Each structure stands twice: as C-alpha cells, then as structure tokens.
Amino acid sequence: MIRISTDIAVVGGGVIGLAIALRLRADGREVIVIEPNEPGSGASYGNAGTVANYAIIPVGTPSVLRNFLSLVLSPDSPLAVRTSALPTLLPWLARFAYESLPHRYRENAGRIAELVSDAASAWTEFASEINASNFLSAKGCLYLYETRKAFKAAGADIELRRRYGVSQELLSAGEVTGLEPCFTGFEGGVFFPNAINLSDPGEVMRLLTLAVKRAGVEFVPALATDIVRERSGLRIAASAYELHARTVVIAAGAHSRKLAASLGDPVQLDTERGYHVEYDMPGLPIERPVCPTAHGFYFCPMQGRLRVAGLVELGGLTAPGNPRLTQALVRNARRFFPELGTPSRSWLGFRPSMPNSVPVIRPSRGGRDVILAFGHGHIGLTLAPRTAQLVSAMLAG
C-alpha cells in the first residue's frame, strides 16, 4: 500500500478537476489529482468544443416533458433511454419531470445563466494561462430551424435567453445562408455572436494537463473508491494507494455520486451518454459550430476534421455503446453533407447529469472539508474556469 498525505486532494482529472487543481496551486495550496485514466480524456475531450455562454436552457423543458414518450420511441430522436437501465433511472426521471415544469424550467435557466454569464471572458483568460489561446475561435455559434413552426416553438427559449441578457440575433433564411452557405432550406436561425469554440479540445486538455503538472501538482493514477472522515482529516481509498488529505474536492464527473454518498451527501446524479463521429478533411465546410436543433447534435469545425457531436442517451456507465445512435449521427450528418463517407472515428463518453441541469458546486453537508464540484452536464467545458473560481472562494472562506 502506497501512502500519500496532502493538503487538498482533487478526485477527478477531467477539465473541471484540472481547472480546480490549477487554481488552487495558484492560491498556494498543496494539491494532488486522483485520476485513473489519461487526464482530460473523457467528456472533456469528446464534447462539441463550444464555450457556450448562451446555453442557459436546461435539458428538461415543458416541451420535452410534453413530448417525452414520442422522443424516446422515435428512431431518429436526439433522446434515448436504455430499457435495461430504467429501474435505476426512475427516481432521476421522476425528478427530471418535476424540473421540466414551467416554473422550475425558468428558475433553473436563471441559475445556469448566472454561472455562464462570464464564460467567454473567463475562458479567454484561462486559455492564455495554459498557452492554449491559438485553439480559441471567436466566430459564434448558430442554431437552425427547419420549419416556421419549429422557429415559433423556440420563442419561449429565445425570450428566456433575452431576459437573462444572452446576446443572440434572429436570422432569416437568407441570413443563415449568408453566414454558412452550405445550409439552405432552413426557415431561420439564432446566432450567438459571443460564443467561443475550441478547435481541438483534446489538445487543449493536453496543454491544461501540462500546465497543472508544471504548477507542481502530483497525479495519482488510481480510481478513488471510498472517502472516510477521520479525526485527522480525510482518508481516500484508491486502488493501491491510501491517501490522507485535509480537504477533498469531488470532481469525478459521472463517477461522483457514489463518493458523495459515502460521505452522507446523496445527490441525484446520473449519466448522459454522449456520442460523436469525426470525418478527417483538409477543408472544412463550416466556420463555426452549427446545430440543426431538430436533430440534437452539433457540426463542430475542428483542426483537420469535422466532428458531429451530441445526442442524449440515459443508460448508466457500464453498458456498451449503442450502434443505433452512432448510425443516427452518421445518417443525419449526411442529410446536410451527402458527400460524407465513412467516419474516420467514433466516440462514446459520459456526461454527469443532474435532473435540473444545474451543476453541484458547494460544500458537503458534513462540512467544508469536502467540496462537491460535478454534474455539469453539457456545460462542463464552458464552466471549468468559473467552477475553479467558486471552489477557490469556498476554500478561502
């Protein structure tokens, strides 16, 4: 058994855990990161690469609640539920239904809006700190609507974003084509001019990991399985390691629920399984992330490749990938770009999802010796610098 003692142990080496570790080292704290896999290799790598300061609308909305059954049953739906996971998902789904009611949807959007409001400026500063500024592109993001009915139905979300100060521009069909010539036949769109996208999330995660290591943070390549409060602090069991820390930050993404529960903090966290496919190509057909909203995915311009990312599958952490969803991404991508051939690669990752889409960023119920920082869902990349700031402030009292 290898024994290690430290001031702060950050459990989780995704973008949230890495950003927290870097910030706490800047505060002068001794920090270790406990992560069994390559740091930043999960959802932090496989996302749409968008710093989405506009993404205040929770997954659960009155429209999703009304159409939930038809969404789940449709083969081309952006939402899928694995029937084998239903027994464990039922409590989460019940809470999701409640959080999708009109008054809850509006309240949750307000809480998310407060968190993401300064995401673009925070990421610009953060990227400079980790030498990743060259991977930021400030060309905005585009939502597309195929029919007038769909555009009209989006009115409630548009108005809610307007209420919370999100910068957005409503585009006609001609204005959509002027911005992205490959997309014709749409009734209109919403353009978010202040959104930033990362041209290579994996490379940015590599640079972030290097910055954390340069700052003097030690990495423990192990899976944390238990955390116990003792008189002298906290004991963390992690494979062949026994670690002791004065403070623990649980930032293990979709794997955080069990660790929080072991400390008396039951949290209704579950897993959204996200997918992407990529097409290597020297010239990209788009300049910015584009989301055909009816299909629930993004076309994402990356360095030397087009990434098609998105969908939501509720199904836990252990089931194998769902080929139907990968095929749905490929099929829908070809609707817009028929020349696309076989994907160069595909990917499955796990988003840590709360029923209200609001991340958990707070001290544990048992005290400030444990900080919870997980459940970011679709906005983990977006909120990494902001989450690090909040955790730093909590530990500073």
Side-chain angles (χ1 to χ4, degrees):
M1 183 69 68
I2 303 170
R3 290 178 171 82
I4 299 175
S5 294
T6 187
D7 179 18
I8 300 174
V10 177
V11 182
V15 67
I16 299 294
L18 292 172
I20 290 170
L22 189 62
R23 178 64 184 242
L24 295 180
R25 276 299 295 152
D27 293 343
R29 309 295 292 265
E30 179 190 29
V31 185
I32 64 170
V33 172
I34 305 169
E35 170 56 54
N37 303 309
E38 184 71 23
S41 62
S44 303
Y45 149 78
N47 53 66
T50 305
V51 179
N53 55 352
Y54 57 87
I56 73 166
I57 305 301
V59 175
T61 67
S63 174
V64 169
L65 184 59
R66 284 193 303 271
N67 299 301
F68 188 80
L69 272 181
S70 61
L71 283 169
V72 169
L73 295 175
S74 169
D76 285 323
S77 170
L79 173 64
V81 178
R82 281 192 179 250
T83 53
S84 59
L86 270 175
T88 56
L89 276 172
L90 284 175
W92 189 95
L93 288 170
R95 185 70 190 190
F96 177 81
Y98 171 71
E99 298 292 349
S100 301
L101 295 173
H103 72 290
R104 296 299 301 164
Y105 143 79
R106 289 190 293 269
E107 182 177 328
N108 294 331
R111 295 171 68 187
I112 298 168
E114 183 179 354
L115 288 170
V116 303
S117 61
D118 63 347
S121 59
W123 248 102
T124 300
E125 182 180 337
F126 187 60
S128 177
E129 185 180 355
I130 64 173
N131 298 320
S133 298
N134 290 342
F135 293 93
L136 264 58
S137 174
K139 295 184 179 180
C141 175
L142 182 61
Y143 277 12
L144 299 179
Y145 299 89
E146 293 182 358
T147 65
R148 290 184 182 180
K149 182 180 178 181
F151 206 175
K152 184 177 180 181
D157 290 350
I158 292 168
E159 179 55 36
L160 199 57
R161 286 192 293 262
R162 182 178 290 116
R163 182 188 306 174
Y164 287 110
V166 174
S167 181
Q168 56 186 343
E169 301 171 9
L170 304 190
L171 305 184
S172 67
E175 289 169 329
V176 164
T177 307
L179 203 60
E180 290 290 350
C182 289
F183 290 95
T184 59
F186 286 88
E187 283 296 324
V190 180
F191 177 54
F192 304 102
N194 296 332
I196 293 172
N197 75 289
L198 275 56
S199 61
D200 195 329
E203 184 62 16
V204 173
M205 291 307 105
R206 187 186 71 82
L207 291 171
L208 173 55
T209 302
L210 287 175
V212 173
K213 289 179 177 178
R214 281 198 306 268
V217 174
E218 180 182 353
F219 283 76
V220 176
L223 175 67
T225 54
D226 194 25
I227 304 173
V228 179
R229 282 190 170 96
E230 297 179 334
R231 287 185 179 181
S232 58
L234 295 136
R235 176 169 52 84
I236 308 146
S239 305
Y241 295 84
E242 183 180 286
L243 302 109
H244 293 265
R246 292 176 58 192
T247 303
V248 169
V249 180
I250 300 177
H255 302 272
S256 299
R257 181 175 64 182
K258 182 179 177 182
L259 294 173
S262 72
L263 291 161
D265 244 302
V267 178
Q268 272 193 308
L269 177 77
D270 221 294
T271 306
E272 282 185 39
R273 298 151 59 87
Y275 292 77
H276 84 220
V277 293
E278 288 187 333
Y279 299 87
D280 291 339
M281 55 179 66
L284 296 172
I286 57 175
E287 292 194 26
R288 56 187 55 79
V290 178
C291 175
T293 54
H295 303 286
F297 68 84
Y298 280 76
F299 286 109
C300 314
M302 302 276 171
Q303 285 193 343
R305 63 198 189 277
L306 178 68
R307 178 177 290 182
V308 185
L311 306 184
V312 170
E313 182 189 35
L314 300 171
L317 290 162
T318 58
N322 187 338
R324 181 178 69 81
L325 293 180
T326 301
Q327 291 161 9
L329 277 179
V330 171
R331 185 169 59 252
N332 283 319
R334 287 177 181 160
R335 287 187 58 190
F336 301 98
F337 298 108
E339 69 278 9
L340 291 176
T342 302
S344 305
R345 64 195 62 83
S346 61
W347 174 88
L348 162 66
F350 306 109
R351 305 185 192 102
S353 182
M354 297 296 294
N356 61 358
S357 299
V358 180
V360 179
I361 311 170
R362 61 170 174 81
S364 72
R365 293 175 181 176
R368 287 179 177 267
D369 57 341
V370 176
I371 303 294
L372 311 182
F374 53 77
H376 292 72
H378 296 250
I379 50 175
L381 181 73
T382 299
L383 284 180
R386 172 75 162 141
T387 302
Q389 293 168 2
L390 291 170
V391 171
S392 171
M394 289 174 195
L395 292 179

